[in-house]
Amino acid sequence: MVTTTPQEPVYVIGAGPGGLAVAATLRARGVRAVVLEKSGSVGASWRGHYDRLRLHTTRRLSGLPGLRIPRSYGRWVARADVVRYLEAYAEKHELDVVTGVEVHRIEPAGDGSGAWTLHASGGRRLTGRAVVVATGFNHTPAVPAWPGRETYGGELVHAREYRSPEPYAGKDVLVVGVGNTGAEIAADLAEGGAARVRLAVRTAPHIVRRTTAGWPAQRTGILIRRLPPRLVDRLGAGMARLAVPDLAAHGLPRPGTGLATRARAGAIPVQDVGLIDAVRAGKVEVVAAVEALEGAEVVLADGTRIAPDAVIAATGYRRALEPLVGHLGVLDDRGRPLTRGPRCPKGHPGLYFTGFTNPISGMLRELARDAERIARRIART
């Protein structure tokens, strides 16, 4: 049993992997941490993902501090097993997780103590010695404000609502967006019985094999993180020519910007888990980006009009941090925290952020590293 100190707790907002990892590493250092989670359970985001999803990072490089992911889960851990792991993680570390509490606003306590006040659901006002914001990279589904969206007569859902291909069997489906989610959903639909699957692409992505001769793409991502971007761009182009077929004839040309350049702008490569074969076999048709919705039709950037039975928008998420901390001047012009890990924003000691980047070295790996650094910093203060 770890003996904790009696001072005001550190509040961790969000009971996903990042929040749980921070709480566990703080507890290991004798610092009391309370995790506040707006849903009814840990790992809420993972519970809502589509059934087919597996980690794109290896089991060995995805465990959180203090507990390995069971070997029985396999090299590429399934979504349901990630949830089981997070539940076991919270139980093993005896974490103080309070569910059903949503924090609306954070502000300095204003009494000169350096503490923080949290305004939460039910009129709660909580005071903590520090706050770690871990509300997640995939927080609020984002659907573009396409002209005609509000009056569109067809079925339109965000990828967050997609679970499996069964409801789309025999249907004509348009998937919008070619990030990892859109690519995998398109492949899932093609394999699961959809009559026609089209994938709307605005910018051709970098596509990488999940493994090459047994070597996972994640390990390459770790090795190249600190190399000069221009060098990585050249290396990435060479690797792509060797490992990934040219799909230009199918509507997916090789990207015009380099892998590292694109990653620095926030666009990580798409790991192939079936898209390449589906595109080459004609089971997934690549079409132009969506420009507007008119009646029951979708207008594409090349002027084509189509009328799919369903549109699935794999168009990403917003961090949605503005109500929580927007008034503090700690976000950039895209709503992302200006700092991460053990670094606090200028003028705001005791405020930490984790889990708001999507690095090519693997998000869970970086969450684990951030947790250790944040806990070490807080324990020293």
Side-chain angles (χ1 to χ4, degrees):
M1 178 67 69
V2 176
T3 302
T4 57
T5 50
Q7 72 268 17
E8 291 170 336
V10 173
Y11 281 107
V12 180
I13 306 175
L20 297 179
V22 169
T25 49
L26 283 170
R27 191 172 188 281
R29 287 170 171 78
V31 178
R32 183 185 171 209
V34 177
V35 182
L36 303 176
E37 169 56 44
K38 70 177 182 179
S39 74
S41 57
V42 303
S45 178
W46 279 95
R47 295 174 190 274
H49 287 313
Y50 48 95
D51 296 342
R52 171 192 172 115
L53 180 64
R54 289 181 175 269
L55 289 181
H56 290 167
T57 55
T58 67
R59 172 182 53 80
R60 288 189 176 184
L61 296 176
S62 301
L64 302 179
L67 183 65
R68 293 182 178 180
I69 299 176
R71 189 173 182 178
S72 60
Y73 288 0
R75 192 180 197 190
W76 310 105
V77 183
R79 177 199 62 82
D81 287 333
V82 172
V83 172
R84 290 169 57 197
Y85 170 71
L86 296 178
E87 291 173 338
Y89 190 83
E91 182 177 352
K92 178 188 186 299
H93 292 290
E94 299 179 346
L95 301 183
D96 188 355
V97 180
V98 183
T99 59
V101 176
E102 182 174 6
V103 180
H104 303 295
R105 183 181 174 92
I106 303 170
E107 58 190 10
D111 58 3
S113 66
W116 289 84
T117 298
L118 288 71
H119 300 267
S121 54
R124 298 176 178 87
R125 287 172 60 93
L126 308 171
T127 302
R129 58 180 288 201
V131 180
V132 182
V133 181
T135 49
F137 189 82
N138 295 336
H139 187 275
T140 301
V143 177
W146 292 308
R149 192 186 79 180
E150 299 303 322
T151 57
Y152 178 58
E155 178 185 345
L156 170 62
V157 299
H158 189 270
R160 169 68 70 85
E161 301 174 62
Y162 177 85
R163 293 293 178 272
S164 69
E166 282 76 12
Y168 302 94
K171 292 186 177 182
D172 179 344
V173 186
L174 173 67
V175 180
V176 184
V178 70
N180 276 295
T181 297
E184 189 157 358
I185 287 177
D188 197 29
L189 288 165
E191 296 169 11
R196 186 176 190 180
V197 181
R198 284 176 281 202
L199 180 61
V201 176
R202 185 173 299 279
T203 304
H206 285 275
I207 302 176
V208 299
R209 299 287 190 184
R210 189 163 64 175
T211 60
T212 302
W215 177 265
Q218 181 189 8
R219 289 198 178 274
T220 301
I222 294 170
L223 291 174
I224 66 176
R225 280 199 74 187
R226 301 192 184 281
L227 293 178
R230 288 185 179 181
L231 175 59
V232 175
D233 286 348
R234 289 198 296 270
L235 291 173
M239 290 173 60
R241 285 193 294 270
L242 290 173
V244 179
D246 186 354
L247 300 174
H250 301 279
L252 275 182
R254 297 195 187 277
T257 54
L259 187 150
T261 301
R262 190 78 67 82
R264 288 201 167 194
I268 64 170
V270 171
Q271 289 202 21
D272 177 47
V273 289
L275 179 66
I276 291 176
D277 288 343
V279 168
R280 294 177 77 183
K283 295 180 179 179
V284 171
E285 306 168 45
V286 179
V287 298
V290 173
E291 287 294 307
L293 306 174
E294 292 184 7
E297 291 186 326
V298 177
V299 183
L300 303 180
D302 60 3
T304 304
R305 291 172 175 265
I306 61 177
D309 297 316
V311 177
I312 300 174
T315 45
Y317 296 80
R318 293 185 294 107
R319 312 294 87 81
L321 290 168
E322 289 80 4
L324 193 65
V325 296
H327 56 288
L328 298 174
V330 298
L331 304 177
D332 65 14
D333 56 2
R334 295 173 61 184
R336 302 172 303 182
L338 292 169
T339 60
R340 56 162 283 193
R343 295 174 52 232
C344 298
K346 185 177 181 180
H348 296 294
L351 177 62
Y352 302 88
F353 295 90
T354 185
F356 295 99
T357 60
N358 194 12
I360 58 176
S361 53
M363 181 178 285
L364 290 177
R365 177 181 182 270
E366 296 306 319
L367 287 176
R369 292 161 65 87
D370 271 358
E372 297 280 9
R373 294 165 181 158
I374 291 170
R376 192 180 307 124
R377 174 74 178 273
I378 291 176
R380 283 205 303 261
T381 58

